[in-house]
Amino acid sequence: MRANDVVVLAGGTGGAKLARGMTAVLDPERVAVIANTGDDIEIYGAHVSPDPDLVCFWLADQIDARGWGLRGDTFAVMDALRALGAEVWFNLGDRDLAWCMERARMLAAGSSPTQALHRLRRAIGVRACVLPMSDDPVRTWVRTRAGWHSFQEFMIRQRAAGPVEGLEFRGAERAAPSEEALAAIASAGAVVIGPSNPLASIGPILAVPGLRDALARTRAPVVAVSPIVGGEVLKGPTAAFMAFAALPCSAQGVADHYGELLDGIVCDEPLASLPALQLDTRMHDAAGRARVAERVLGFAETLAR
């Protein structure tokens, strides 16, 4: 990677949209995305990695209008499973399932998650580098009044119903960042933490021993993009997780959570505690994604000076 490349830390849709904006204003090969794998699940004989796959589908311009999965996918396998009496609570389109089954096959044959994702994303024409945060298993678990749930069960079966009473990244203490992820950070000209849930989506990335240290050591400016606009969360249960952490649901709360990792923040409200670029970070369309990406990169450049 060249010294003025950008690394994006991504969890869900916000991070994926920002990554797509980056590839609109930069050569895609200058963009690397380190994606959360804490949401991974093994189901239907497949290994599903929702956040890295979401990023890949966005970068390939193949994301479906519903916000997940491949555009125009069919659901014949899910329908057939239901007809056989199987409980189908996690929906996967047919092409999405094939993608995840091929990942499972490659992992069983000895490929690392990083190697498997490299092959999958190249197969759909993604030139940007998309990296799992670790090749070791880390799983996010959430505790509510109903008990502990894997992240997918919390989001789908429990419908993300709060309040959140506990959050664990199981396996993180035994995990290590991949060499590729560490190399991307070491050679970055800018590191951007995407507008993803700071606790449940970016939290698992920072929980992998060595990744937070790599971000602290990098000479590149580290900039966060707030997922909160107009005092409201753009998508998902971020507010419930911020409340669990006793943080205000605001850009200041995001800045407080990341602490000394940050050199700056992009948000829609003034901040006195940290260099801030005041910007509406909503990305409704391609022009909005490119606009936010370009402004974020410009802000990071001023911090680097």
Side-chain angles (χ1 to χ4, degrees):
M1 294 180 68
R2 290 163 288 187
N4 58 347
D5 290 334
V6 60
V7 172
V8 178
L9 271 58
T13 298
K17 284 184 174 182
L18 182 61
R20 182 62 185 92
M22 293 293 179
T23 61
V25 299
L26 292 175
D27 181 336
E29 293 185 3
R30 294 179 56 193
V31 178
V33 183
I34 299 175
N36 167 42
T37 57
D39 302 359
D40 284 20
I41 182 172
E42 293 167 332
I43 193 168
Y44 312 130
H47 184 114
V48 187
S49 197
D51 286 351
D53 295 351
L54 184 73
V55 170
C56 289
F57 298 164
W58 269 101
L59 291 176
D61 290 329
Q62 292 193 32
I63 194 73
D64 193 82
R66 63 181 169 264
W68 57 271
L70 289 158
R71 184 173 61 247
D73 211 349
T74 54
F75 290 83
V77 173
M78 298 297 109
D79 291 342
L81 285 171
R82 290 187 184 93
L84 292 170
E87 180 188 15
V88 177
W89 62 271
F90 189 93
N91 241 0
L92 272 179
D94 298 324
R95 289 161 54 219
D96 200 348
L97 178 61
W99 167 288
C100 296
M101 290 178 69
E102 178 61 6
R103 172 190 282 114
R105 186 199 66 76
M106 286 188 282
L107 295 179
S111 293
S112 69
T114 297
Q115 291 167 338
L117 187 62
H118 174 79
R119 182 174 164 237
L120 289 169
R121 56 113 176 157
R122 296 292 287 186
I124 59 172
V126 174
R127 292 169 53 213
C129 186
V130 185
L131 300 166
M133 66 192 193
S134 174
D135 286 329
D136 299 315
V138 178
R139 296 293 180 267
T140 299
W141 283 73
V142 181
R143 183 164 60 86
T144 67
R145 289 170 181 166
W148 283 100
H149 314 280
S150 70
F151 191 76
Q152 294 302 331
E153 289 177 322
F154 166 73
M155 290 295 294
I156 299 173
R157 281 183 154 168
Q158 303 299 317
R159 300 183 182 274
V164 173
E165 298 182 348
L167 179 63
E168 292 182 356
F169 308 123
R170 298 182 183 178
E173 69 284 355
R174 299 183 299 277
S178 67
E179 292 181 6
E180 293 87 348
L182 291 177
I185 294 170
S187 63
V191 177
V192 181
I193 301 177
S196 305
N197 185 319
L199 283 100
S201 295
I202 303 299
I205 301 175
L206 299 181
V208 175
L211 276 178
R212 180 181 283 271
D213 290 342
L215 292 171
R217 286 194 308 267
T218 182
R219 298 177 65 182
V222 178
V223 176
V225 179
S226 175
I228 299 161
V229 177
E232 296 184 354
V233 175
L234 290 177
K235 190 176 187 295
T238 297
F241 285 97
M242 297 290 278
F244 162 71
L247 292 166
C249 193
S250 65
Q252 186 62 63
V254 174
D256 290 345
H257 174 66
Y258 292 129
E260 294 182 355
L261 279 182
L262 296 186
D263 297 298
I265 189 168
V266 178
C267 53
D268 75 331
E269 55 190 275
L271 236 64
S273 62
L274 187 70
L277 171 66
Q278 201 165 341
L279 177 70
D280 184 340
T281 57
R282 285 173 288 202
M283 296 176 281
H284 293 312
D285 54 21
R289 293 189 289 274
R291 171 186 59 85
V292 172
E294 194 163 32
R295 294 289 304 278
V296 168
L297 290 172
F299 179 53
E301 187 177 350
T302 65
L303 294 173
R305 296 198 192 110

